[in-house]
Amino acid sequence: MATHDPSTTAPDPSLAPVPVPDPTRIDGALWKLAGVLLVGAMAALLDTTIVNVAVDHLSRSLDAPVATAQWVASAYLLSTASVIPVTGWAVDRFGQRATWMTALAVFGVGSLLCAAAWSIESLIAFRVITGLGSGMILPLVMTVLVQAAGPRRLGRAIGLLSVPIQIAPAMGPVLGGLVLDSLGWRWIFLVSIPLILLAMALGVRGVERGNPRASERLDVVGLALLSPGIATLLYGLSVLGDHRFALVFALVGALLIGGFVVHALRRRPRGPAPVIDLRLFGDTLFRLGALLMFVFGLCIWAGMFLLPLFFQQVQGTSALTAGLLMAPMAAGVALVNLFVGPIADRTGPRYLVVGGLLVGAAATAPFALAGPDTSPTLLATAMFVRGLGLGTAMVPMLATAYRRLPSDQVPRASSALNVTQRLGAAVGTAALALLLSSLIAQGTAPTPAFQATFWWMTGLTALALIPAVFLPSARPSSTP
């Protein structure tokens, strides 16, 4: 009688293990969403700096003093900052897609109006409109992508944003110089229109409607305190040393923001949610992330202000060449983000952030020793390494801030983090600009003045190490 050998029995396909998808992998849907969002983000980020090279040209073309013409850039930046607080509420009230399309539409209409401006006054007014649309786009990009990615893929998702966030502002002056030389100043405001239209077309299907809540009321009192407070504080800081009432503006802005803090903490349970929910700062990781974003905004934007000036005033380059010399830093960020996102999703943020900041500070130091004859290759290498360091630090520090937040708190958290970063950028730029101008006014030659300012910039980059050492060394637990 034949015996049954179990080893010869064909395996039952129904008993085969079912492959479990990797919850940290970026799938096709998230790639598509990121692509849609990045088109809009690139348009907004380019528009932030593309006008900077045209101020002198606008002054001559529209027969206005340079001090008036620079408000084409300043009014835009103040407008973008003042609208950030309302973005979180708009997402909660109207949903992701409606808010996205509205922001792009306002941005596009403002850009068209700027191209049709007939005087410097009309151009400044239309730049304010443009800023109202553009200022909502970056918080929206972060909100939509973070909610879609979930806590397990935050590092990878934020890594996708880091490259254009670095590249677009650096390339704005380059593109602006090319357009200004070949097509004229009106085209500076039209180059973003194709990107805006493409982002709107892709957003019709690419951005989810979300979960709008018709009952969500706007915190009018909070908005009336916070938005003017931010704009007034940023204006005071931006003209520090140039305007005798700058400190008054900064103080008024700080008082208005303080008034918002009191209002938000004392709100009644049945009242509308504050435009920025201060309870978010009760979470240790969010508080650390926000503090780091303040210092990081200081490092990045102060560098964006100082480095082009150094290339032009000390090394004697043109504005176009100075813009091109900023590209290696963007390349460093792009390269490191191929690797740091997945690592940030699997490990704790402390060592990545601390290591990245140390590299960023070390790569800033060569500029404190540089002069007119310093090799451009050496400085380009330092810029590249600076991008590697700051790019390594940025992804995990931002992911940390969102890591434990429930999905419904992400819109307000994005607004809070963007406001924090803008304030850091304003403080850092104002402080270094004041230091540089004071040194030169005291008779210090440009090269030593820039060297001293770069030492301060190196120190400010290292300053971020203080909160960074308190970050978790292991991957934080996430809210499902």
Side-chain angles (χ1 to χ4, degrees), residues 285-299 349 353 357 393 396-398 400 420-421 463-469 471:
L285 290 184
F286 184 84
R287 188 166 60 247
L288 280 172
L291 179 58
L292 283 165
M293 289 306 292
F294 177 88
V295 182
F296 202 74
L298 183 153
C299 299
V353 175
L357 289 172
M397 75 169 61
L398 192 52
T400 296
T420 302
Q421 187 182 40
L463 183 66
L465 290 168
I466 297 174
V469 297
L471 291 170

Side-chain angles (χ1 to χ4, degrees), residues 26 48 98 197 220 243 266 268 314 322 333 362 397 403 425-426 469:
I26 295 185
T48 302
L197 293 176
V220 177
H243 196 299
R266 291 183 178 178
R268 296 178 179 178
V314 174
V333 172
M397 75 169 61
R403 187 73 70 182
V469 297

Side-chain angles (χ1 to χ4, degrees), residues 151-152 283 285 400 402-405 472 474-480:
R152 299 293 299 274
D283 181 86
L285 290 184
T400 296
Y402 287 104
R403 187 73 70 182
R404 292 198 302 221
L405 296 181
R475 185 183 181 278
S477 59
S478 305
T479 299

Side-chain angles (χ1 to χ4, degrees), residues 162-237:
S162 301
V163 177
I165 285 175
Q166 291 295 327
I167 291 177
M171 297 310 295
V174 178
L175 181 60
L178 292 172
V179 171
L180 193 64
D181 289 343
S182 57
L183 298 173
W185 67 266
R186 296 185 187 275
W187 284 91
I188 285 180
F189 305 105
L190 295 175
V191 293
S192 60
I193 296 297
L195 288 174
I196 295 171
L197 293 176
L198 179 59
M200 293 183 72
L202 295 173
V204 172
R205 290 191 174 184
V207 177
E208 295 292 332
R209 181 172 179 265
N211 299 300
R213 299 194 293 266
S215 60
E216 190 71 24
R217 290 186 292 158
L218 177 63
D219 176 22
V220 177
V221 174
L223 187 64
L225 288 168
L226 186 57
S227 288
I230 293 171
T232 307
L233 176 61
L234 293 184
Y235 172 72
L237 292 173

Side-chain angles (χ1 to χ4, degrees), residues 205-471:
R205 290 191 174 184
V207 177
E208 295 292 332
R209 181 172 179 265
N211 299 300
R213 299 194 293 266
S215 60
E216 190 71 24
R217 290 186 292 158
L218 177 63
D219 176 22
V220 177
V221 174
L223 187 64
L225 288 168
L226 186 57
S227 288
I230 293 171
T232 307
L233 176 61
L234 293 184
Y235 172 72
L237 292 173
S238 68
V239 298
L240 207 61
D242 297 326
H243 196 299
R244 59 180 173 175
F245 295 116
L247 286 175
V248 174
F249 282 106
L251 179 61
V252 170
L255 290 173
L256 287 171
I257 293 173
F260 167 76
V261 172
V262 173
H263 162 76
L265 293 177
R266 291 183 178 178
R267 69 186 181 89
R268 296 178 179 178
R270 295 185 179 181
V275 285
I276 290 182
D277 190 353
L278 298 182
R279 293 174 301 175
L280 293 168
F281 291 89
D283 181 86
T284 303
L285 290 184
F286 184 84
R287 188 166 60 247
L288 280 172
L291 179 58
L292 283 165
M293 289 306 292
F294 177 88
V295 182
F296 202 74
L298 183 153
C299 299
I300 289 292
W301 289 100
M304 293 290 293
F305 157 77
L306 196 59
L307 288 163
L309 282 179
F310 168 81
F311 289 129
Q312 293 177 76
Q313 295 186 14
V314 174
Q315 296 225 310
T317 69
S318 66
L320 179 59
T321 302
L324 291 172
L325 286 170
M326 298 293 289
M329 187 170 74
V333 172
L335 178 62
V336 80
N337 276 286
L338 296 175
F339 312 102
V340 73
I343 297 173
D345 282 332
R346 301 180 187 277
T347 64
R350 182 193 300 168
Y351 300 116
L352 285 172
V353 175
V354 169
L357 289 172
L358 285 172
V359 172
T364 306
F367 288 89
L369 304 171
D373 300 323
T374 303
S375 166
T377 303
L378 174 63
L379 296 180
T381 302
M383 292 286 289
F384 178 73
V385 175
R386 188 171 192 265
L388 290 176
L390 296 182
T392 298
M394 182 168 61
V395 172
M397 75 169 61
L398 192 52
T400 296
Y402 287 104
R403 187 73 70 182
R404 292 198 302 221
L405 296 181
S407 180
D408 61 350
Q409 291 184 353
V410 169
R412 312 259 175 172
S414 295
S415 294
L417 290 173
N418 273 272
V419 167
T420 302
Q421 187 182 40
R422 290 293 179 95
L423 290 175
V427 169
T429 303
L432 292 185
L434 182 61
L435 174 62
L436 181 64
S437 61
S438 298
L439 289 171
I440 293 176
Q442 292 169 10
T444 306
T447 298
F450 272 96
Q451 289 174 339
T453 308
F454 275 118
W455 278 125
W456 276 96
M457 188 168 140
T458 302
L460 291 173
T461 305
L463 183 66
L465 290 168
I466 297 174
V469 297
F470 293 99
L471 291 170

